[in-house]
Amino acid sequence: MSQGNLDKCEPNFTPLLDLVLQLVMFFMLCANFVLDQTNVDIKLPKAVSAKALDQADDYTIYLNVNEQGKVILTPSDYFKDTDGSTATSLDNPGRVLNWLKDRAKTDYAPGADKTKDPPRSLIILRVHEQCPFEKTYAILKACRLAGYLRVQLRAVMESGP
Amino acid sequence: MLGRRRRRRGTDFVDPDLPITPMLDMSFQLLAFFILTFKPAPTEGHISMTLPKEEGGEFAIPNPVAENVPLHYIVRVTATDAGQIEKITLRQEGSAEATGKDFKADKALYQAELKTLAETLKKDNQTAKLTLEIHDKLLQAYVVQMMDIATQQDFKDISPVPIDPQKR
């Protein structure tokens, strides 16, 4: 009976490994990193005329508004109530106004005249598509009353017909 | 002699047997994880809008000295109980509400009218501001649609306000 050849025969895995690692790297870079400021639960409305964002603004305040019109603050922000309790969401426009007024106190460019100049931050409003206008308007009004003049409404960019 | 170093002759070729299989396994696991969790983020953009101005404040009074004062058009959008568009009307400020154009809930008609209006304004070298009077219940998706249609027709000054002046 003949003996088979006992030499080791190993497939070359190196190119396969290279390819797999490249794919891993691609998916890692394209992964949907959760941004601090944005809330993934907010489903934004679609708009054809929505313009691409410019990265020029260093001072921004994100207001994520859910279906019920509740403002969800970013993890780095919180609202301190008069009784000392803290909250990470604001369920009425009065609270939004108080919170924005508090923010506005320290939100001026150096040398700005606080009696004339508006606060420097741009407010980015991310409103859920199912939120009624009444709630959105209350927040817009709170922004205006707190002195903020620059407000941006976010939407998902959609290609035209 | 014991202490005598043995002189090396040439190079001994050692074939390193690096176990690649566990690394490949791990890579496949990582790859599977990223493929399964991959969800490209939708591209966000912004829509230009004008903040509501205080009713009766200095901005509400037209300046008679200024030339080429922008024309002011009012779009009224009423909503059903479910928050959908019930009726869209368009009129010029100062004209009676009954004289406004009624588009029912047809956004295409509204868009076509705004297009015609924008062309007329361009021809006359006029500018216009648009106030969207919106029912409280109208959902944000429709509010953005109305603003989107106006922005597409080159209206720059778009201001959404509630229908009830007391709430502004």
Side-chain angles (χ1 to χ4, degrees):
Chain A
M1 215 172 151
S2 70
Q3 290 281 323
N5 191 352
L6 292 174
D7 279 353
K8 269 167 87 179
C9 176
E10 281 187 4
N12 189 3
F13 282 126
T14 316
L16 183 64
L17 189 63
D18 286 350
L19 177 83
V20 171
L21 285 176
Q22 279 186 36
L23 282 171
V24 168
M25 215 178 325
F26 167 78
F27 282 107
M28 275 175 78
L29 293 175
C30 298
N32 186 13
F33 292 111
V34 178
L35 293 173
D36 247 10
Q37 292 89 354
T38 57
N39 189 316
V40 285
D41 297 330
I42 306 292
K43 196 178 171 202
L44 295 176
K46 295 183 182 86
V48 177
S49 64
K51 290 177 193 136
L53 309 170
D54 47 353
Q55 302 291 320
D57 275 295
D58 289 333
Y59 298 94
T60 50
I61 297 173
Y62 278 82
L63 294 180
N64 292 289
V65 186
N66 72 5
E67 284 171 87
Q68 288 80 38
K70 193 192 268 188
V71 174
I72 299 151
L73 300 175
T74 57
S76 55
D77 290 323
Y78 63 88
F79 171 74
K80 199 169 184 182
D81 217 337
T82 45
D83 60 358
S85 61
T86 56
T88 53
S89 62
L90 312 169
D91 49 9
N92 70 63
R95 279 183 144 198
V96 178
L97 178 60
N98 288 340
W99 183 76
L100 282 172
K101 276 183 173 171
D102 269 357
R103 282 290 300 254
K105 281 177 195 167
T106 54
D107 197 12
Y108 287 91
D113 182 355
K114 290 184 182 180
T115 55
K116 287 179 187 169
D117 298 330
R120 64 180 157 186
S121 286
L122 163 75
I123 294 185
I124 293 171
L125 213 56
R126 299 181 77 251
V127 186
H128 194 285
E129 62 174 13
Q130 296 294 312
C131 178
F133 178 68
E134 187 182 23
K135 308 279 184 186
T136 313
Y137 187 78
I139 294 160
L140 285 173
K141 203 171 166 181
C143 294
R144 184 194 66 191
L145 292 173
Y148 286 93
L149 295 181
R150 294 163 63 223
V151 178
Q152 225 178 56
L153 202 60
R154 283 280 169 97
V156 171
M157 287 166 78
E158 198 182 37
S159 51
Chain B
M1 273 177 88
L2 283 171
R4 198 169 152 193
R5 290 166 82 185
R6 199 174 151 191
R7 206 167 167 189
R8 232 166 140 190
R9 270 190 207 166
T11 311
D12 293 336
F13 288 102
V14 180
D15 191 12
D17 194 14
L18 197 70
I20 286 180
T21 321
M23 198 170 169
L24 194 61
D25 288 349
M26 186 205 67
S27 304
F28 271 123
Q29 281 184 28
L30 278 173
L31 186 61
F33 169 77
F34 282 112
I35 287 175
L36 293 174
T37 58
F38 183 65
K39 192 184 167 195
T43 322
E44 283 185 24
H46 69 91
I47 293 189
S48 306
M49 61 164 286
T50 310
L51 264 185
K53 290 167 181 119
E54 284 184 69
E55 203 60 10
E58 57 174 320
F59 296 108
I61 304 164
N63 185 355
V65 182
E67 286 178 18
N68 202 6
V69 177
L71 299 172
H72 187 186
Y73 289 92
I74 296 165
V75 176
R76 180 170 286 194
V77 191
T78 55
T80 60
D81 285 339
Q84 289 168 331
I85 296 172
E86 186 183 55
K87 196 168 98 170
I88 308 167
T89 57
L90 171 71
R91 66 185 170 89
Q92 196 170 353
E93 192 192 30
S95 63
E97 275 179 37
T99 60
K101 287 181 180 166
D102 185 351
F103 310 108
K104 308 287 180 208
D106 194 339
K107 283 176 280 183
L109 275 179
Y110 162 67
Q111 184 163 16
E113 182 62 31
L114 277 193
K115 194 177 179 183
T116 314
L117 183 61
E119 281 166 3
T120 313
L121 288 168
K122 201 174 175 183
K123 209 161 61 180
D124 299 344
N125 204 17
Q126 271 279 4
T127 53
K129 61 181 269 186
L130 205 66
T131 298
L132 296 176
E133 291 185 346
I134 296 169
H135 192 276
D136 286 347
K137 283 183 180 170
L138 193 73
L139 299 178
Q140 179 70 4
Y142 298 105
V143 176
V144 168
Q145 269 181 22
M146 301 307 289
M147 292 172 72
D148 191 24
I149 290 170
T151 311
Q152 281 179 60
Q153 305 311 324
D154 257 3
F155 283 90
K156 303 269 188 271
D157 190 350
I158 304 164
S159 174
V161 292
I163 290 178
D164 185 359
Q166 301 296 320
K167 291 182 180 175
R168 290 178 197 172

